[in-house]
Amino acid sequence: MQSTTNFRGPFQNPSQSDTIKYLQLIWKNEKLCKDLLPYEDEFLSQLINVIEQKEKEIKNKKHNFDQETLDFMELDLQRVKYFIKDYLRIRLAKIEKYLYYILKNNLASLLSETEAKFVVDLINMKAVYFNEGLKKVVAVANNFRPFYDKYKNIQEKADSLNDAMIVHPPTNAYVIVESITDENII
C-alpha cells in the first residue's frame, strides 16, 4: 500500500483532482488494510469544511449556474461525501472488532477524538450490558461484584484480558497492493 505520510497533502496545492485522489487513497488503504491506520484528521476536517461551503454555494445558487451544472456539482459532492462516510464506517467497524486489542496495545494515537469517545462509551455500554446479564443469572449470590466496580478505569479492563480473549488483526492474511509505477518489476 502506498504510504499516506509521504503525501504533502492536497491543500498545499488545492487542485480538486489531487484532493479526490488523496481521499480515494486513504479510503482504499483503510479498506484493504487489516490493521487500523492513523486517522487523517487535518485532511478530513478541511475537506468537510470545503464540502459545507460548496453545499451553501449550490443552495444559494451563488454563481448563477444553470440547473444542469448545479446538478453535476451536487453529484460530485455526493460522491466525495460517500468516500468520507465509507472511510469512517470502515474505521468504526475495525474499532468495534479490535476494541480490546486497540486498548491493550495503546493504539489510541490512531483514533480521532470522536473515535476515542466512541471507544470509551462502547466499553462502558458493554460493561453495563454484562452486569445486567450477570445480575439476572446470579441474583441469589451475595458476593456478586459488578464488572464496572471491579475495574476502576478502561485500561485496567483491557489489561485484565489475556491474549486469547482479544480479537487480533490477522497478521498472516493476504494483502492487496497496487503498483504506483507502470514499470515492469521482476
Side-chain angles (χ1 to χ4, degrees):
M1 271 180 270
Q2 183 177 352
S3 172
T4 57
T5 56
N6 295 337
F7 191 78
R8 290 175 25 104
F11 291 103
Q12 301 192 7
N13 181 13
S15 84
Q16 184 177 359
S17 66
D18 286 345
T19 303
I20 299 300
K21 284 178 186 175
Y22 188 65
L23 177 62
Q24 289 174 337
L25 175 70
I26 65 171
W27 169 78
K28 189 185 323 179
N29 283 350
E30 193 70 51
K31 187 173 183 89
L32 298 177
C33 183
K34 301 297 181 190
D35 285 329
L36 187 67
L37 298 175
Y39 181 71
E40 296 284 341
D41 189 28
E42 183 180 334
F43 171 72
L44 287 174
S45 62
Q46 289 177 350
L47 184 59
I48 290 170
N49 288 338
V50 169
I51 289 172
E52 289 171 354
Q53 287 177 334
K54 294 293 182 184
E55 284 179 332
K56 286 178 186 176
E57 289 178 11
I58 291 172
K59 185 177 179 183
N60 297 334
K61 298 181 182 179
K62 195 173 191 175
H63 297 291
N64 295 327
F65 292 119
D66 61 353
Q67 189 60 40
E68 187 175 333
T69 305
L70 289 173
D71 289 343
F72 279 119
M73 290 171 69
E74 179 80 28
L75 181 67
D76 200 33
L77 285 177
Q78 292 301 325
R79 180 176 58 124
V80 171
K81 285 167 61 175
Y82 166 79
F83 278 112
I84 293 172
K85 289 176 185 177
D86 198 45
Y87 171 78
L88 296 173
R89 194 176 305 119
I90 291 165
R91 288 185 61 80
L92 284 178
K94 286 182 182 181
I95 290 169
E96 279 187 80
K97 187 172 185 177
Y98 306 125
L99 179 66
Y100 294 106
Y101 173 78
I102 291 169
L103 286 175
K104 188 150 186 146
N105 294 309
N106 294 323
L107 300 176
S109 62
L110 302 176
L111 305 174
S112 69
E113 290 178 23
T114 310
E115 290 170 342
K117 184 182 179 316
F118 172 73
V119 165
V120 171
D121 291 345
L122 184 61
I123 288 180
N124 289 331
M125 285 189 292
K126 284 185 175 192
V128 169
Y129 174 76
F130 289 126
N131 281 334
E132 295 304 315
L134 282 174
K135 282 180 185 176
K136 290 177 184 174
V137 172
V138 195
V140 181
N142 293 334
N143 61 357
F144 173 70
R145 288 176 36 196
F147 184 71
Y148 51 83
D149 288 345
K150 184 177 177 185
Y151 301 101
K152 298 300 178 196
N153 65 33
I154 292 171
Q155 192 61 45
E156 286 180 16
K157 291 177 189 177
D159 291 340
S160 70
L161 301 173
N162 63 25
D163 282 344
M165 300 169 74
I166 297 175
V167 177
H168 295 269
T171 55
N172 58 351
Y174 291 106
V175 177
I176 298 173
V177 294
E178 177 182 351
S179 174
I180 56 174
T181 65
D182 292 336
E183 300 174 14
N184 270 341
I185 301 172
I186 298 176

PDB file of all heavy atoms in Angstrom, residues 86-103:
ATOM      1  N   ASP A  86     -17.882   6.248   3.999  1.00  0.00           N
ATOM      2  CA  ASP A  86     -17.432   4.862   3.955  1.00  0.00           C
ATOM      3  C   ASP A  86     -16.109   4.705   4.689  1.00  0.00           C
ATOM      4  O   ASP A  86     -15.896   3.707   5.375  1.00  0.00           O
ATOM      5  CB  ASP A  86     -17.319   4.368   2.514  1.00  0.00           C
ATOM      6  CG  ASP A  86     -17.285   2.858   2.433  1.00  0.00           C
ATOM      7  OD1 ASP A  86     -18.104   2.207   3.116  1.00  0.00           O
ATOM      8  OD2 ASP A  86     -16.441   2.323   1.697  1.00  0.00           O
ATOM      9  N   TYR A  87     -15.224   5.674   4.572  1.00  0.00           N
ATOM     10  CA  TYR A  87     -13.957   5.665   5.312  1.00  0.00           C
ATOM     11  C   TYR A  87     -14.231   5.589   6.812  1.00  0.00           C
ATOM     12  O   TYR A  87     -13.648   4.774   7.525  1.00  0.00           O
ATOM     13  CB  TYR A  87     -13.153   6.919   4.951  1.00  0.00           C
ATOM     14  CG  TYR A  87     -11.921   7.165   5.780  1.00  0.00           C
ATOM     15  CD1 TYR A  87     -10.751   6.452   5.557  1.00  0.00           C
ATOM     16  CD2 TYR A  87     -11.920   8.116   6.789  1.00  0.00           C
ATOM     17  CE1 TYR A  87      -9.611   6.681   6.314  1.00  0.00           C
ATOM     18  CE2 TYR A  87     -10.791   8.354   7.552  1.00  0.00           C
ATOM     19  CZ  TYR A  87      -9.641   7.640   7.315  1.00  0.00           C
ATOM     20  OH  TYR A  87      -8.519   7.860   8.065  1.00  0.00           O
ATOM     21  N   LEU A  88     -15.140   6.425   7.284  1.00  0.00           N
ATOM     22  CA  LEU A  88     -15.465   6.441   8.710  1.00  0.00           C
ATOM     23  C   LEU A  88     -16.174   5.161   9.133  1.00  0.00           C
ATOM     24  O   LEU A  88     -15.936   4.635  10.230  1.00  0.00           O
ATOM     25  CB  LEU A  88     -16.319   7.675   9.038  1.00  0.00           C
ATOM     26  CG  LEU A  88     -15.617   9.018   8.827  1.00  0.00           C
ATOM     27  CD1 LEU A  88     -16.600  10.160   9.012  1.00  0.00           C
ATOM     28  CD2 LEU A  88     -14.423   9.167   9.745  1.00  0.00           C
ATOM     29  N   ARG A  89     -17.039   4.635   8.277  1.00  0.00           N
ATOM     30  CA  ARG A  89     -17.747   3.386   8.563  1.00  0.00           C
ATOM     31  C   ARG A  89     -16.764   2.218   8.699  1.00  0.00           C
ATOM     32  O   ARG A  89     -16.879   1.386   9.602  1.00  0.00           O
ATOM     33  CB  ARG A  89     -18.758   3.110   7.447  1.00  0.00           C
ATOM     34  CG  ARG A  89     -19.768   2.058   7.761  1.00  0.00           C
ATOM     35  CD  ARG A  89     -20.800   1.900   6.641  1.00  0.00           C
ATOM     36  NE  ARG A  89     -21.467   3.140   6.305  1.00  0.00           N
ATOM     37  CZ  ARG A  89     -21.417   3.724   5.095  1.00  0.00           C
ATOM     38  NH1 ARG A  89     -20.763   3.160   4.108  1.00  0.00           N
ATOM     39  NH2 ARG A  89     -22.043   4.847   4.879  1.00  0.00           N
ATOM     40  N   ILE A  90     -15.785   2.164   7.817  1.00  0.00           N
ATOM     41  CA  ILE A  90     -14.764   1.116   7.862  1.00  0.00           C
ATOM     42  C   ILE A  90     -13.969   1.216   9.162  1.00  0.00           C
ATOM     43  O   ILE A  90     -13.689   0.216   9.817  1.00  0.00           O
ATOM     44  CB  ILE A  90     -13.830   1.217   6.636  1.00  0.00           C
ATOM     45  CG1 ILE A  90     -14.587   0.851   5.365  1.00  0.00           C
ATOM     46  CG2 ILE A  90     -12.596   0.340   6.802  1.00  0.00           C
ATOM     47  CD1 ILE A  90     -13.868   1.254   4.091  1.00  0.00           C
ATOM     48  N   ARG A  91     -13.603   2.442   9.536  1.00  0.00           N
ATOM     49  CA  ARG A  91     -12.838   2.638  10.769  1.00  0.00           C
ATOM     50  C   ARG A  91     -13.643   2.207  11.987  1.00  0.00           C
ATOM     51  O   ARG A  91     -13.121   1.560  12.887  1.00  0.00           O
ATOM     52  CB  ARG A  91     -12.414   4.106  10.903  1.00  0.00           C
ATOM     53  CG  ARG A  91     -11.309   4.487   9.922  1.00  0.00           C
ATOM     54  CD  ARG A  91     -10.835   5.894  10.163  1.00  0.00           C
ATOM     55  NE  ARG A  91     -10.287   6.077  11.485  1.00  0.00           N
ATOM     56  CZ  ARG A  91      -9.051   5.732  11.855  1.00  0.00           C
ATOM     57  NH1 ARG A  91      -8.230   5.186  10.999  1.00  0.00           N
ATOM     58  NH2 ARG A  91      -8.632   5.959  13.083  1.00  0.00           N
ATOM     59  N   LEU A  92     -14.929   2.549  12.029  1.00  0.00           N
ATOM     60  CA  LEU A  92     -15.758   2.160  13.177  1.00  0.00           C
ATOM     61  C   LEU A  92     -15.897   0.641  13.270  1.00  0.00           C
ATOM     62  O   LEU A  92     -15.881   0.074  14.365  1.00  0.00           O
ATOM     63  CB  LEU A  92     -17.132   2.818  13.096  1.00  0.00           C
ATOM     64  CG  LEU A  92     -17.180   4.294  13.451  1.00  0.00           C
ATOM     65  CD1 LEU A  92     -18.596   4.831  13.290  1.00  0.00           C
ATOM     66  CD2 LEU A  92     -16.679   4.547  14.852  1.00  0.00           C
ATOM     67  N   ALA A  93     -16.028  -0.017  12.128  1.00  0.00           N
ATOM     68  CA  ALA A  93     -16.119  -1.481  12.131  1.00  0.00           C
ATOM     69  C   ALA A  93     -14.833  -2.099  12.677  1.00  0.00           C
ATOM     70  O   ALA A  93     -14.876  -3.051  13.463  1.00  0.00           O
ATOM     71  CB  ALA A  93     -16.417  -1.989  10.728  1.00  0.00           C
ATOM     72  N   LYS A  94     -13.691  -1.558  12.279  1.00  0.00           N
ATOM     73  CA  LYS A  94     -12.411  -2.055  12.798  1.00  0.00           C
ATOM     74  C   LYS A  94     -12.281  -1.781  14.292  1.00  0.00           C
ATOM     75  O   LYS A  94     -11.789  -2.622  15.046  1.00  0.00           O
ATOM     76  CB  LYS A  94     -11.239  -1.407  12.062  1.00  0.00           C
ATOM     77  CG  LYS A  94     -11.018  -1.921  10.667  1.00  0.00           C
ATOM     78  CD  LYS A  94      -9.803  -1.235  10.070  1.00  0.00           C
ATOM     79  CE  LYS A  94      -9.544  -1.649   8.654  1.00  0.00           C
ATOM     80  NZ  LYS A  94      -8.350  -0.979   8.109  1.00  0.00           N
ATOM     81  N   ILE A  95     -12.714  -0.605  14.716  1.00  0.00           N
ATOM     82  CA  ILE A  95     -12.622  -0.257  16.134  1.00  0.00           C
ATOM     83  C   ILE A  95     -13.485  -1.200  16.965  1.00  0.00           C
ATOM     84  O   ILE A  95     -13.059  -1.686  18.010  1.00  0.00           O
ATOM     85  CB  ILE A  95     -13.017   1.219  16.365  1.00  0.00           C
ATOM     86  CG1 ILE A  95     -11.943   2.138  15.786  1.00  0.00           C
ATOM     87  CG2 ILE A  95     -13.233   1.508  17.845  1.00  0.00           C
ATOM     88  CD1 ILE A  95     -12.337   3.595  15.718  1.00  0.00           C
ATOM     89  N   GLU A  96     -14.692  -1.476  16.497  1.00  0.00           N
ATOM     90  CA  GLU A  96     -15.558  -2.414  17.220  1.00  0.00           C
ATOM     91  C   GLU A  96     -14.957  -3.810  17.266  1.00  0.00           C
ATOM     92  O   GLU A  96     -14.998  -4.483  18.291  1.00  0.00           O
ATOM     93  CB  GLU A  96     -16.935  -2.483  16.561  1.00  0.00           C
ATOM     94  CG  GLU A  96     -17.839  -1.354  16.943  1.00  0.00           C
ATOM     95  CD  GLU A  96     -19.232  -1.551  16.404  1.00  0.00           C
ATOM     96  OE1 GLU A  96     -19.999  -2.324  17.018  1.00  0.00           O
ATOM     97  OE2 GLU A  96     -19.551  -0.938  15.368  1.00  0.00           O
ATOM     98  N   LYS A  97     -14.421  -4.256  16.152  1.00  0.00           N
ATOM     99  CA  LYS A  97     -13.885  -5.609  16.068  1.00  0.00           C
ATOM    100  C   LYS A  97     -12.632  -5.783  16.926  1.00  0.00           C
ATOM    101  O   LYS A  97     -12.463  -6.790  17.606  1.00  0.00           O
ATOM    102  CB  LYS A  97     -13.574  -5.944  14.615  1.00  0.00           C
ATOM    103  CG  LYS A  97     -13.166  -7.375  14.398  1.00  0.00           C
ATOM    104  CD  LYS A  97     -13.056  -7.681  12.923  1.00  0.00           C
ATOM    105  CE  LYS A  97     -12.754  -9.153  12.701  1.00  0.00           C
ATOM    106  NZ  LYS A  97     -12.706  -9.480  11.280  1.00  0.00           N
ATOM    107  N   TYR A  98     -11.741  -4.794  16.896  1.00  0.00           N
ATOM    108  CA  TYR A  98     -10.451  -4.888  17.593  1.00  0.00           C
ATOM    109  C   TYR A  98     -10.396  -3.967  18.810  1.00  0.00           C
ATOM    110  O   TYR A  98      -9.337  -3.461  19.165  1.00  0.00           O
ATOM    111  CB  TYR A  98      -9.316  -4.557  16.634  1.00  0.00           C
ATOM    112  CG  TYR A  98      -9.320  -5.366  15.371  1.00  0.00           C
ATOM    113  CD1 TYR A  98      -9.326  -4.758  14.131  1.00  0.00           C
ATOM    114  CD2 TYR A  98      -9.341  -6.758  15.410  1.00  0.00           C
ATOM    115  CE1 TYR A  98      -9.335  -5.507  12.965  1.00  0.00           C
ATOM    116  CE2 TYR A  98      -9.357  -7.513  14.251  1.00  0.00           C
ATOM    117  CZ  TYR A  98      -9.351  -6.877  13.034  1.00  0.00           C
ATOM    118  OH  TYR A  98      -9.375  -7.624  11.888  1.00  0.00           O
ATOM    119  N   LEU A  99     -11.519  -3.774  19.467  1.00  0.00           N
ATOM    120  CA  LEU A  99     -11.639  -2.822  20.568  1.00  0.00           C
ATOM    121  C   LEU A  99     -10.604  -3.060  21.664  1.00  0.00           C
ATOM    122  O   LEU A  99      -9.837  -2.165  22.021  1.00  0.00           O
ATOM    123  CB  LEU A  99     -13.056  -2.908  21.149  1.00  0.00           C
ATOM    124  CG  LEU A  99     -13.384  -2.015  22.319  1.00  0.00           C
ATOM    125  CD1 LEU A  99     -13.352  -0.561  21.860  1.00  0.00           C
ATOM    126  CD2 LEU A  99     -14.751  -2.348  22.864  1.00  0.00           C
ATOM    127  N   TYR A 100     -10.549  -4.262  22.176  1.00  0.00           N
ATOM    128  CA  TYR A 100      -9.635  -4.545  23.286  1.00  0.00           C
ATOM    129  C   TYR A 100      -8.184  -4.646  22.810  1.00  0.00           C
ATOM    130  O   TYR A 100      -7.265  -4.354  23.573  1.00  0.00           O
ATOM    131  CB  TYR A 100     -10.073  -5.805  24.026  1.00  0.00           C
ATOM    132  CG  TYR A 100     -11.404  -5.588  24.717  1.00  0.00           C
ATOM    133  CD1 TYR A 100     -12.570  -6.154  24.222  1.00  0.00           C
ATOM    134  CD2 TYR A 100     -11.489  -4.784  25.839  1.00  0.00           C
ATOM    135  CE1 TYR A 100     -13.788  -5.925  24.845  1.00  0.00           C
ATOM    136  CE2 TYR A 100     -12.692  -4.550  26.468  1.00  0.00           C
ATOM    137  CZ  TYR A 100     -13.846  -5.132  25.963  1.00  0.00           C
ATOM    138  OH  TYR A 100     -15.041  -4.892  26.571  1.00  0.00           O
ATOM    139  N   TYR A 101      -7.980  -5.017  21.573  1.00  0.00           N
ATOM    140  CA  TYR A 101      -6.627  -5.027  21.003  1.00  0.00           C
ATOM    141  C   TYR A 101      -6.082  -3.592  20.945  1.00  0.00           C
ATOM    142  O   TYR A 101      -4.920  -3.347  21.281  1.00  0.00           O
ATOM    143  CB  TYR A 101      -6.662  -5.646  19.602  1.00  0.00           C
ATOM    144  CG  TYR A 101      -5.365  -5.562  18.851  1.00  0.00           C
ATOM    145  CD1 TYR A 101      -4.321  -6.431  19.126  1.00  0.00           C
ATOM    146  CD2 TYR A 101      -5.174  -4.602  17.859  1.00  0.00           C
ATOM    147  CE1 TYR A 101      -3.130  -6.356  18.435  1.00  0.00           C
ATOM    148  CE2 TYR A 101      -3.986  -4.513  17.164  1.00  0.00           C
ATOM    149  CZ  TYR A 101      -2.969  -5.392  17.452  1.00  0.00           C
ATOM    150  OH  TYR A 101      -1.787  -5.307  16.771  1.00  0.00           O
ATOM    151  N   ILE A 102      -6.914  -2.658  20.547  1.00  0.00           N
ATOM    152  CA  ILE A 102      -6.507  -1.250  20.478  1.00  0.00           C
ATOM    153  C   ILE A 102      -6.164  -0.735  21.867  1.00  0.00           C
ATOM    154  O   ILE A 102      -5.146  -0.056  22.062  1.00  0.00           O
ATOM    155  CB  ILE A 102      -7.629  -0.401  19.831  1.00  0.00           C
ATOM    156  CG1 ILE A 102      -7.766  -0.758  18.351  1.00  0.00           C
ATOM    157  CG2 ILE A 102      -7.360   1.084  20.004  1.00  0.00           C
ATOM    158  CD1 ILE A 102      -9.013  -0.188  17.689  1.00  0.00           C
ATOM    159  N   LEU A 103      -6.991  -1.080  22.846  1.00  0.00           N
ATOM    160  CA  LEU A 103      -6.729  -0.618  24.211  1.00  0.00           C
ATOM    161  C   LEU A 103      -5.490  -1.267  24.807  1.00  0.00           C
ATOM    162  O   LEU A 103      -4.666  -0.587  25.421  1.00  0.00           O
ATOM    163  CB  LEU A 103      -7.935  -0.918  25.102  1.00  0.00           C
ATOM    164  CG  LEU A 103      -9.138  -0.027  24.901  1.00  0.00           C
ATOM    165  CD1 LEU A 103     -10.291  -0.508  25.737  1.00  0.00           C
ATOM    166  CD2 LEU A 103      -8.803   1.410  25.233  1.00  0.00           C
TER     167      LEU A 103
END
